[in-house]
Amino acid sequence: MNSFFFRKILRIALILLLALPLAGCIYWWRAYQTYLQMSEFDRYFKVAVADDFTLQFKEPILYSDDFVSLAKLHASEEKPTSDGKRWRYWFRKVDQQGKVIKPKIEFYSDLNFNRQDRITAWSFSSLFLEIAPPKLLEVSLRSIGGADINKEKMQLKADTSRLGKINVNLPLKSKVVEKLGEPLRINDDHDQDIYVYHFKLITHGIEEGYEDRELTTLNLSFDKKTQELTKMSGRFAGLKISINYGNLVGKAPSGIVASN
């Protein structure tokens, strides 16, 4: 009996010992499960478009702490709701010295969580939709299902070719500049003008070593002939996003890339 009891205790201790290194990375497992849901987009997600764009999670997996662990950043605001809570991330345009420009030019992203602390909705405000129109944003999200995973870079590279092309007007440079104001600089890249903007995430308690994630460098590529926005890339709350719009409405071979 004593021998059996000892073996049982030893087995439990061994399981706990093996589980300890994984405990800090369990959020990656939940993120991976959410990624798998993307392969059956309509079963697990729903898109709602009004003044903002909202991705609704039908069977949520991720917890609020998972987002902090993944991004290493906290939300700008946290407010209780009737069925849980809402986190809001504010991104405000800054000058070369990192000072917020006045009058403010800003956009936000909201995360809504239920009473079990699992995410139920992810929203993007209207200003963000000026550079990522709803139809383009939706097809980009749909393309994540089945995306190639680069484990070393913790990056997803989606193949949008299987989704087919969509009929949508690309944002024009004049309209984008009207909403975002003048860029910090303009880089010349052959047949493209790349407008570079800086936005600062309003946050607190940044984890040491991740201070650079507070700043978003937004790169917008405009075709010199058509003046259309052809590519958008930037890091938003720790998540790097790069969308080549030409792959969605044109003939370019690349697609959306997302990484942490």
Side-chain angles (χ1 to χ4, degrees):
M1 180 66 69
N2 289 339
S3 176
F4 173 79
F5 180 75
F6 175 76
R7 289 198 302 272
K8 187 175 182 180
I9 294 296
L10 184 62
R11 189 180 301 113
I12 293 173
L14 181 59
I15 292 172
L16 289 174
L17 185 63
L18 291 173
L20 280 175
L22 298 175
C25 296
I26 193 66
Y27 58 88
W28 276 112
W29 173 244
R30 288 192 286 267
Y32 179 68
Q33 288 179 304
T34 301
Y35 155 76
L36 292 178
Q37 288 183 333
M38 287 287 183
S39 296
E40 299 181 75
F41 191 90
D42 292 310
R43 175 181 175 183
Y44 293 105
F45 303 94
K46 181 181 179 181
V47 169
V49 179
D51 291 335
D52 59 7
F53 176 100
T54 300
L55 178 68
Q56 298 172 352
F57 295 69
K58 297 179 182 179
E59 296 183 23
I61 296 173
L62 289 164
Y63 291 96
S64 62
D65 284 349
D66 294 336
F67 284 88
V68 177
S69 298
L70 288 163
K72 310 300 182 185
L73 296 167
H74 294 274
S76 311
E77 303 172 358
E78 180 178 335
K79 293 183 179 181
T81 61
S82 59
D83 57 354
K85 64 183 179 183
R86 186 200 73 196
W87 283 6
R88 174 162 290 184
Y89 294 82
W90 278 109
F91 298 86
R92 290 175 180 156
K93 186 180 177 183
V94 295
D95 59 21
Q96 192 68 52
Q97 287 69 45
K99 295 182 179 180
V100 175
I101 291 175
K102 295 183 180 180
K104 291 178 183 177
I105 296 176
E106 58 189 2
F107 63 90
Y108 64 80
S109 178
D110 282 350
L111 300 178
N112 285 280
F113 302 91
N114 59 22
R115 289 191 177 90
Q116 289 72 46
D117 201 32
R118 293 181 184 268
I119 184 172
T120 57
W122 191 352
S123 301
F124 302 88
S125 67
S126 57
L127 183 61
F128 185 80
L129 300 184
E130 295 293 338
I131 58 173
K135 285 186 178 180
L136 291 173
L137 192 53
E138 180 178 350
V139 74
S140 298
L141 289 169
R142 287 178 176 274
S143 71
I144 292 176
D148 294 330
I149 301 177
N150 186 320
K151 294 181 180 179
E152 292 183 1
K153 295 182 179 181
M154 296 182 181
Q155 184 181 81
L156 296 174
K157 184 171 184 180
D159 177 13
T160 56
S161 60
R162 62 185 178 82
L163 298 176
K165 308 299 180 181
I166 60 174
N167 184 17
V168 62
N169 293 324
L170 293 174
L172 293 175
K173 182 170 66 177
S174 58
K175 184 68 179 297
V176 172
V177 173
E178 178 186 338
K179 297 294 184 179
L180 296 188
E182 294 298 326
L184 283 180
R185 64 180 182 274
I186 302 174
N187 297 333
D188 189 323
D189 184 24
H190 304 293
D191 59 345
Q192 304 281 317
D193 282 327
I194 303 176
Y195 279 46
V196 181
Y197 293 86
H198 281 179
F199 283 83
K200 181 180 180 181
L201 172 64
I202 306 305
T203 186
H204 62 88
I206 301 176
E207 187 174 328
E208 186 177 354
Y210 294 93
E211 293 84 358
D212 63 321
R213 294 193 176 189
E214 183 182 23
L215 182 68
T216 292
T217 298
L218 181 62
N219 296 301
L220 304 177
S221 299
F222 295 96
D223 186 281
K224 289 182 179 180
K225 291 183 178 179
T226 66
Q227 302 295 295
E228 293 175 327
L229 179 61
T230 59
K231 185 176 181 180
M232 180 271 285
S233 65
R235 169 181 272 175
F236 307 92
L239 180 68
K240 294 179 182 177
I241 297 178
S242 177
I243 308 177
N244 188 331
Y245 295 145
N247 188 57
L248 306 177
V249 298
K251 299 180 180 180
S254 58
I256 179 174
V257 176
S259 65
N260 177 258

